[in-house]
Amino acid sequence: MINDKAILVGVDGSDASYKATWWAANYAKHAGLTLQIVCAYSLPSYAAVSFDATYSTMGDDVAAHSDAQEILSKAKAIADEQGVEAVTLIVTGDPSSVFVELSRNYNLIVIGNRGKGGLAERLLGTTSSSLPAYAYCPIVVVPYTDDDGNMMHLNNTISKVAVGSDESRWGLKALEIAAEFAHTWGATLDVISAVPNISGLTGTDSAEEQSVMDSYLEDLGDRIKPLQEQYPDLEIDKKVVPGSAVEALPQASKDHDVVVVGSRGRGGFTGLLLGSTSQGLLQHAVTPVYVVPRKYVEAAESGLKQAASGNQDQVMALEDITGVQKVSVDRAEHVEDIESTIDPLHENH
């Protein structure tokens, strides 16, 4: 069955993945969830940031396994510093396919971004293989630096959440999750709806443009009414902006602690999430991006139907997923050195 009390974070020895571990542990502690940390590698050959050797034979699996354990011990130490006891896993094989299968089992998966190569590159991939677009649970992608290489500071608390909203099933689910997430943190929620190509409409004047904007704002108000009733203490601000969500959401990441977005899979927001180097939200956001994938929405809908008919499928147990192994590792020492590296402005709890 799905472990809805656990979140998973992927590490590969990069500082970016350790920063993702810090965010995941901080969230797990706040939300009362358990944390599982996974390190992935593949044979006969692989290359990752801290895996500076190339393993070309099956006999080198011992060395690869040892390196993975060392990486997990450092990530475990980061979690321990926040009072979060983590379970550690090693995954062998193709990380993309294994993580998609693992996503059936978790409440949330967290990965780091802007590490050089390694796990993030394999899991973010392209629009046809990206984990955030095709997972069965939400994915949080934590940035390490901005586009100029400046290291991003992560706050211990989340006070401002933004969500991209439209009327699609995915957009509505993202709005629902964003409201729950903001409520959990006692944060404010900014709901952003983009109005594309409004200035390019033939024959429109400023009054007509304003009328279109007002119509979008009214629709947005209707979408958030159920949330206002469900979370009467949640401060919700709605915002309609001209132009593309591709522009609006990366901009929102500059003054929000988390940006939530739905992914429709092929087309739709997938292009927004990844796209080209000049467009991808995940490449340019300077705050964690919380992605609600298409398969997650469809699986949730299917689950509701199965539950209503009394025919709910079982999720594959971790030990039955090929390539997944639970391991025990010792806590690494000098974790303060790791934390000062991944976030010099880090505030101790």
Side-chain angles (χ1 to χ4, degrees), residues 154-168:
L154 300 177
N155 295 319
N156 290 342
T157 59
I158 292 172
S159 59
K160 294 183 67 177
V161 177
V163 57
S165 173
D166 62 19
E167 294 178 330
S168 70

Side-chain angles (χ1 to χ4, degrees), residues 193-196 198-199 201 206-220 239-243:
S193 181
V195 186
I198 187 170
S199 61
L201 296 176
S206 58
E208 289 174 312
E209 290 182 6
Q210 186 58 51
S211 176
V212 172
M213 298 286 283
D214 290 343
S215 176
Y216 268 76
L217 191 62
E218 183 178 352
D219 290 342
L220 187 55
K239 185 178 183 181
V240 174
V241 296

Side-chain angles (χ1 to χ4, degrees), residues 252-275:
S253 76
K254 296 179 180 179
D255 56 7
H256 289 81
D257 298 307
V258 172
V259 174
V260 183
V261 64
S263 167
R264 296 190 183 119
R266 296 181 180 179
F269 270 130
T270 301
L272 163 65
L273 289 172
L274 299 162

Side-chain angles (χ1 to χ4, degrees), residues 14 27 38 48 52 95 103 112 165 174 184 199 202 204 209 215 228 251 256 273-275 335:
S14 67
Y27 175 62
V38 60
D52 53 6
S103 71
S165 173
T184 298
S199 61
T202 305
T204 57
E209 290 182 6
S215 176
Q228 291 172 322
Q251 185 65 33
H256 289 81
L273 289 172
L274 299 162
V335 65

Side-chain angles (χ1 to χ4, degrees), residues 121-134:
E121 184 173 294
R122 285 176 282 171
L123 294 182
L124 292 178
T126 65
T127 54
S128 62
S129 64
S130 169
L131 178 65
Y134 293 99

Side-chain angles (χ1 to χ4, degrees), residues 260-295:
V260 183
V261 64
S263 167
R264 296 190 183 119
R266 296 181 180 179
F269 270 130
T270 301
L272 163 65
L273 289 172
L274 299 162
S276 67
T277 304
S278 62
Q279 291 184 336
L281 172 60
L282 296 182
Q283 285 93 333
H284 297 287
V286 293
T287 200
V289 177
Y290 193 125
V291 183
V292 181
R294 171 181 60 89
K295 284 186 177 180

